[in-house]
Amino acid sequence: MIPFDNSYARLPEHFHAFVSPAQVPDPKLIRLNGALAEDLGLDLEWLSSPAGLAMLAGNAMPEGAEPLAQAYAGHQFGGWAPQLGDGRAILLGEIIKKDGQRRDIQLKGSGRTPFSRGGDGKAAIGPVLREYILSEAMHALGVPTTRALAAVSTGEIVRREEPLPGAILTRVASSHIRVGTFQYFYAQNDVAALKTLADHVIARHYPDAAITDEPYAVFLEGVVAAQAKLIAQWMHLGFIHGVMNTDNTTVSGETIDYGPCAFMDTFHPDKVFSSIDRQGRYAWSNQPVIGHWNLLRLAETLLPLISPDAEAARSKAESAIERFSPIFRDHYLAGYRRKLGISGQDDAQEDFIKRTLGILAEQQVDYTLFFRHLTKVATGSTNDTLKGLFDDPAVYQSWLDDWSQREIDVTVMQQANPILIPRNHRVEQAIRFAQDGDFKPFHRLVDALQQPFSEQPAHADLEEAPTSSEEVRATFCGT
Ligand code: AMP
Ligand code: MG
């Protein structure tokens, strides 16, 4: 019932391990993403049938599925891990959409694989719903991301710090190939595998590179540009990925592996949520630094492919990597110009953007509400709410006077400033209710976040910043 067209399974056997998903006792559909199913050209009726549910739960594999766990390595918080791999995810196979785009269909939380090490390969309901909410919100916010096709409860209890209901996410991605996938073969000095992998990725994600004289350097440039743009988009939204390890960095430029990620409430550039990020390595403002570092790790692996002449290879890789900073900067500044509704490219604008963010931090302003209400002010609404976000009304007034002197484009602001983001306290609230069997807050949040730029009076409460007792200050991987 699913027209699988698997290419990763055709790659050499040390790229993956074939493995069947574990059986689960009592699968129930929590949510099926109808719009995504339709976009993928999948039969919605079949997916919602007992046979469809059996696939989404890993209990029965439809014809054409070739379940496998992918091998990869990675730098985790800067430390090298030579073998990670899909320890709790199983790729069922790939399909080709009507527009010719290839998509992976993967179960996350469907049991042990040869890469599970000490883990159980399962997922608790919290991380599954979290990834569902966040990845679908990111998509609606216009950010490249893996998607959520379905969430299923398994009827099993998984043991974490406490016993929790088990669940499985069906994840869809343009591929699950990571910087760490390249590092896996690089560390083994397996140049033949690196070439096979690079050719696979070029055909899949960077077909234009294939027709150049230097496909591997052009591929690297493509990943550099995609990651630079992605990280700028995260920052515009106040998004902190939280675990930007090289194994969580895709070569497609999609956001992947929503662990302890979070959207900031009150703005601060040094903000970190992940309880395991004690040094602030993955703080909001450090994300481009880390993105650049991760791309250097990718570049290293491509050197032998870029040129047989080591010196030439190094210089080409360096010039590809050097493009990161200017591309990031252009996207970063352009995005803030849109958020502020100001145009032009002069340095004064850059200073103004810097100054604005400095004031938001110093005045402890809620990041999303600031741009949301500034947009309202630009439409001519009264500005009491905006003013109220600042500790000091005089600071607000002098900033506003400065901003008001510029030519403002309201339409651009409306398209750049979301009204709704998945606020941490709302995500955690939805998870708490779901753990007790009530999925209403989860469904409401997912529904509302499908239109993050639209006025939705029925969901106005979801815009609000948390009270100090509601505020989430730390997030956990929860794997
Ligand atoms: P993450 O940082 O969550 O992306 O995961 C890092 C590595 O740990 C990956 O190789 C995962 O497959 C593995 N992992 C995470 N949770 C589990 C689990 N419950 N069982 C087995 N492996 C896991
Ligand atoms: Mg990961």
Side-chain angles (χ1 to χ4, degrees):
M1 273 319 216
I2 300 222
F4 284 110
D5 181 319
N6 306 332
S7 64
Y8 212 81
R10 304 280 84 76
L11 295 177
E13 62 177 12
H14 57 308
F15 279 59
H16 45 61
F18 290 107
V19 57
S20 294
Q23 298 290 309
V24 301
D26 187 19
K28 291 207 171 70
L29 190 62
I30 298 171
R31 189 171 175 114
L32 182 61
N33 189 338
L36 177 58
E38 196 176 316
D39 177 60
L40 295 170
L42 299 179
D43 180 348
L44 196 56
E45 209 172 305
W46 181 82
L47 272 177
S48 352
S49 74
L53 177 61
M55 178 189 80
L56 299 171
N59 277 353
M61 286 297 99
E63 211 183 302
E66 293 173 279
L68 61 84
Q70 291 175 315
Y72 54 84
H75 277 95
Q76 302 187 306
F77 290 90
W80 173 241
Q83 181 161 323
L84 295 166
D86 290 332
R88 81 184 130 164
I90 295 179
L91 177 67
L92 301 186
E94 301 149 35
I95 56 166
I96 298 180
K97 300 201 299 168
K98 280 191 228 82
D99 62 5
Q101 300 279 317
R102 187 174 286 278
R103 288 289 179 273
D104 275 4
I105 302 195
Q106 189 202 59
L107 300 184
K108 196 170 172 185
S110 54
R112 288 182 53 78
T113 77
F115 305 109
S116 296
R117 294 166 289 163
D120 59 4
K122 309 267 173 170
I125 197 164
V128 166
L129 298 189
R130 198 177 163 72
E131 179 157 343
Y132 196 118
I133 296 165
L134 283 151
S135 64
E136 286 305 303
M138 284 293 251
H139 172 72
L141 289 162
V143 183
T145 176
T146 64
R147 306 282 310 270
L149 178 63
V152 164
S153 61
T154 59
E156 228 170 29
I157 294 297
V158 297
R159 286 179 205 289
R160 296 295 179 258
E161 259 128 59
E162 50 183 325
L164 292 165
I168 294 172
L169 181 81
T170 305
R171 179 160 70 176
V172 173
S174 69
S175 85
H176 285 84
I177 301 167
R178 305 145 193 270
V179 169
T181 318
F182 281 85
Q183 290 182 292
Y184 179 75
F185 298 113
Y186 174 70
Q188 297 171 25
N189 227 331
D190 189 344
V191 179
L194 281 168
K195 183 172 183 320
T196 303
L197 181 63
D199 290 341
H200 175 87
V201 170
I202 288 170
R204 199 161 169 173
H205 298 296
Y206 299 95
D208 293 348
I211 50 170
T212 65
D213 293 341
E214 301 189 310
Y216 305 108
V218 175
F219 155 54
L220 179 60
E221 285 169 13
V223 184
V224 165
Q227 283 290 336
K229 180 168 184 212
L230 177 70
I231 294 169
Q233 285 187 283
W234 289 352
M235 292 179 75
H236 296 144
L237 292 168
F239 177 76
I240 301 162
H241 181 284
V243 236
M244 289 176 69
N245 296 334
T246 55
D247 54 301
N248 293 335
T249 304
T250 57
V251 293
S252 66
E254 288 179 343
T255 312
I256 197 171
D257 283 1
Y258 292 82
C261 59
F263 284 77
M264 269 192 271
D265 296 305
T266 308
F267 178 75
H268 200 286
D270 300 337
K271 199 149 265 185
V272 171
F273 285 89
S274 170
S275 55
I276 52 173
D277 189 0
R278 296 210 178 80
Q279 315 287 318
R281 180 179 169 91
Y282 300 140
W284 178 82
S285 60
N286 213 34
Q287 296 182 114
V289 178
I290 296 294
H292 182 262
W293 191 87
N294 289 347
L295 290 162
L296 275 172
R297 303 286 78 75
L298 175 65
E300 250 160 35
T301 74
L302 297 175
L303 289 175
L305 305 182
I306 290 175
S307 171
D309 171 353
E311 208 33 61
R314 189 156 291 282
S315 116
K316 284 183 182 139
E318 266 167 20
S319 56
I321 293 290
E322 271 165 18
R323 296 168 72 145
F324 182 85
S325 298
I327 296 174
F328 170 77
R329 187 174 175 276
D330 284 354
H331 283 290
Y332 179 82
L333 293 176
Y336 274 112
R337 284 198 298 271
R338 286 195 297 274
K339 290 178 80 65
L340 291 163
I342 56 182
S343 48
Q345 294 216 353
D346 53 273
D347 287 349
Q349 304 246 333
E350 183 176 353
D351 290 345
F352 181 65
I353 290 166
K354 264 196 204 139
R355 198 156 65 76
T356 302
L357 292 175
I359 290 171
L360 295 186
E362 171 214 296
Q363 294 284 307
Q364 306 192 51
V365 176
D366 184 275
Y367 182 75
T368 306
L369 285 179
F370 170 74
F371 288 104
R372 188 298 191 250
H373 286 285
L374 186 65
T375 308
K376 277 192 157 182
V377 168
T379 65
S381 299
T382 57
N383 59 14
D384 285 352
T385 314
L386 186 61
K387 188 196 234 165
L389 298 173
F390 287 69
D391 286 341
D392 181 348
V395 173
Y396 163 71
Q397 199 53 54
S398 93
W399 181 86
L400 190 76
D401 292 344
D402 189 345
W403 175 73
S404 310
Q405 279 168 23
R406 293 151 208 270
E407 199 175 320
I408 304 298
D409 188 331
V410 189
T411 316
V412 166
M413 289 179 80
Q414 284 166 332
Q415 288 162 358
N417 294 320
I419 295 170
L420 287 184
I421 51 152
R423 297 239 180 218
N424 307 314
H425 66 297
R426 291 297 185 172
V427 174
E428 301 218 342
Q429 181 190 47
I431 291 170
R432 271 198 314 277
F433 275 79
Q435 283 170 340
D436 292 334
D438 179 357
F439 292 94
K440 282 197 292 296
F442 164 72
H443 288 302
R444 178 172 179 239
L445 198 52
V446 175
D447 289 341
L449 286 164
Q450 284 171 357
Q451 307 287 337
F453 297 99
S454 305
E455 295 284 352
Q456 300 181 79
H459 297 309
D461 58 313
L462 299 178
E463 285 179 42
E464 284 163 25
T467 61
S468 67
S469 68
E470 285 173 334
E471 191 184 341
V472 175
R473 293 185 179 83
T475 50
F476 301 88
C477 253
T479 55

